[in-house]
Amino acid sequence: MIVMGGIVGSGIFINPYVVAQRVHSPGLILFVWIAGGIVAILGAFVYAELGDRMPEVGGQYVYLRNAYHPAVGFLYGWVLLLVIQTGGMAAVAVTFASYFIELTSLPISPRWIVVVTLGILTLINCLGVKPGSRVQSILMVLKIAAIACLVGAGFFLAKTPHPILHPILDSPPSMGLLTAIGAAMVPVLFSYGGWQTTNFIAGEIKDARKNLARALIIGVSAVIVLYLLVNMVCVRVLGAAALAQTNVPASAVMRIVSGDSGAKLIALGIAVSTVGFLSQAILTAPRVYFAMADDGLFFRSVAYVTAKTRVPVVAILLQSIWTVLVAFTGKYEQILNFVIPIDFFFFGLSASCLFIFRHRERDQPTQQIGFRVPGHPVTTIVFILACWLVVANTIYKYPGNSSVGVAILLLGLPVYAFWNRRRKAAK
């Protein structure tokens, strides 16, 4: 449930129209989502082996620190706090606030809804991993119910369905078509992202070496099925052309098959989905800041763990407070444009750690590895190249925003030097 909750947010209810704007036939639309799912499952394989090798709190931070240098791990934690995690959370929190106001018609400021929502979820996760994971499981079940409602309505209530697989191509094969498929892959891969956050809490999972790999593979596989079903329904009910013209495809599908009541029901499902994403983000990502502080590379108080619940409450509070500040600035949309190149760069870099760990294993076999990536090194290289192609495409299309993201990343170097000097002086 935590793996699926980290992936399924509001994107699957919205992004199908972005893909349909870039590739225009039903066959190509579904092909792109299948290709994105293949990349996601390759990533799940990679992170399953990494988690099996190092079932420690911190996930990617730990892999990058141990494979390359503590500075590389710190830079990841730095941008995770300032840009990747909190920027995404701020945008999702404001999305929830807008849906909440639309559904309830209450005269409440969206800012207060953001504060209250994040406050409640923060409190729950400060009470311990079990309460946080139970809430996450409940919200994920509700998300699945919303998707099942959308899929069921689309398949059984549509009166004049469009073909799902025909035509496969809308134009002859060409370099322009290949470029369009590449552009469509960006929102698809972004929609599939999020499974890696489960590795952040590896140290708190029972029998992590066995259960983390299982969770990643089962969770990502289940999301691939859900995503394909949603896109099949969108194409079947709306058709490729109409899908490209609406920025609320899930609501459009439900309005056609069951009227305004159906559209309102799916809006409620989207609201629940956004809360589920926020809950998962609060449960997982603070473990990275905790690991940094525990290494002496951040404020020591961030490594504080309560005696009773054994959770990093200061790290959780830090992330939630920063998320509120980002949401209040109104700059969250701009920050999201910085997220993609930085996030996918570290996806690929983290996957490359596997080559280093396997090389060291040949020299010093110290442990019996349980899970192995099928088809390595080919499958691992495919995943890395897919991630870095997204980075290159985003930098090419949005050089201004990407340069700001890179600047924030590089700003972490002097910050790391400061904390490293403090750590050495304290020894």
Side-chain angles (χ1 to χ4, degrees):
M1 291 299 179
I2 292 173
V3 171
M4 295 175 71
I7 304 172
V8 182
S10 58
I12 185 55
F13 299 103
I14 300 169
N15 278 343
Y17 94 90
V18 181
V19 175
Q21 287 181 337
R22 298 176 183 183
V23 290
H24 311 299
S25 70
L28 278 180
I29 290 170
L30 294 179
F31 167 78
V32 168
W33 284 96
I34 291 171
I38 292 172
V39 173
I41 201 68
L42 293 181
F45 288 152
V46 171
Y47 277 70
E49 181 171 336
L50 290 171
D52 183 278
R53 289 174 176 273
M54 296 182 180
E56 303 173 30
V57 169
Q60 284 175 265
Y61 167 78
V62 174
Y63 314 146
L64 294 166
R65 179 196 67 191
N66 293 355
Y68 291 104
H69 191 275
V72 181
F74 176 85
L75 289 176
Y76 172 70
W78 170 258
V79 292
L80 186 75
L81 175 61
L82 292 184
V83 178
I84 297 173
Q85 195 71 19
T86 50
M89 288 175 63
V92 170
V94 173
T95 300
F96 168 76
S98 63
Y99 274 104
F100 182 86
I101 292 172
E102 180 182 343
L103 287 167
T104 62
S105 302
L106 293 174
I108 303 175
S109 168
R111 290 186 171 186
W112 284 112
I113 296 173
V114 168
V115 172
V116 171
T117 303
L118 288 172
I120 292 172
L121 294 174
T122 299
L123 176 62
I124 291 170
N125 283 282
C126 283
L127 294 176
V129 174
K130 283 188 176 180
S133 60
R134 284 170 184 160
V135 169
Q136 180 59 40
S137 295
I138 292 169
L139 290 171
M140 191 62 230
V141 169
L142 292 174
K143 286 187 196 184
I144 294 172
I147 292 174
C149 179
L150 174 65
V151 171
F155 275 113
F156 297 110
L157 300 181
K159 296 179 180 178
T160 55
H162 297 265
I164 293 178
L165 298 176
H166 180 76
I168 295 176
L169 299 178
D170 63 318
S171 61
S174 64
M175 184 57 67
L177 180 61
L178 190 62
T179 304
I181 292 173
M185 285 291 290
V186 174
V188 169
L189 290 176
F190 192 67
S191 296
Y192 275 115
W195 35 265
Q196 77 285 347
T197 57
T198 307
N199 287 53
F200 296 161
I201 61 169
E204 298 167 89
I205 297 174
K206 290 182 180 179
D207 195 3
R209 293 194 62 190
K210 178 178 69 175
N211 291 329
L212 179 57
R214 287 181 177 180
L216 283 166
I217 294 167
I218 295 171
V220 173
S221 300
V223 169
I224 292 171
V225 172
L226 291 176
Y227 278 16
L228 288 177
L229 288 173
V230 169
N231 280 277
M232 289 171 69
V233 161
C234 288
V235 171
R236 188 173 189 269
V237 175
L238 300 174
L243 176 58
Q245 294 172 2
T246 175
N247 59 3
V248 284
S251 297
V253 167
M254 292 299 287
R255 185 169 283 108
I256 288 174
V257 298
S258 55
D260 289 339
S261 59
K264 199 151 192 172
L265 181 63
I266 203 64
L268 178 61
I270 295 171
V272 170
S273 192
T274 57
V275 174
F277 172 86
L278 292 172
S279 174
Q280 198 270 4
I282 293 171
L283 174 66
T284 57
R287 273 63 183 175
V288 176
Y289 324 134
F290 161 84
M292 291 166 58
D294 198 46
D295 286 343
L297 294 175
F298 207 37
F299 296 104
R300 178 58 61 180
S301 59
V302 177
Y304 171 73
V305 176
T306 57
K308 184 177 180 181
T309 62
R310 306 302 300 167
V311 296
V313 292
V314 177
I316 292 173
L317 289 169
L318 172 66
Q319 178 178 265
S320 294
I321 291 170
W322 186 252
T323 300
V324 169
L325 292 175
V326 173
F328 273 33
T329 62
K331 304 288 185 181
Y332 51 87
E333 291 180 356
Q334 184 179 3
I335 289 176
L336 275 182
N337 291 328
F338 312 153
V339 169
I340 295 176
I342 302 297
D343 203 11
F344 277 82
F345 169 74
F346 278 109
F347 278 166
L349 192 63
S350 298
S352 71
C353 295
L354 196 55
F355 291 94
I356 297 173
F357 294 147
R358 286 207 179 190
H359 178 73
R360 292 175 183 171
E361 179 190 64
R362 288 199 298 269
D363 298 334
Q364 297 177 337
T366 57
Q367 65 172 348
Q368 183 66 34
I369 303 301
F371 183 84
R372 294 274 185 170
V373 175
H376 179 87
V378 174
T379 50
T380 306
I381 292 172
V382 169
F383 175 72
I384 294 171
L385 289 177
C387 291
W388 287 350
L389 282 172
V390 171
V391 175
N393 182 76
T394 308
I395 292 174
Y396 174 75
K397 284 199 166 187
Y398 309 103
N401 288 335
S402 299
S403 63
V404 175
V406 172
I408 294 173
L409 174 65
L410 295 178
L411 184 62
L413 288 172
V415 177
Y416 167 78
F418 168 77
W419 283 108
N420 195 39
R421 282 196 302 267
R422 285 195 57 173
R423 178 177 63 170
K424 290 179 178 178
K427 289 183 178 180

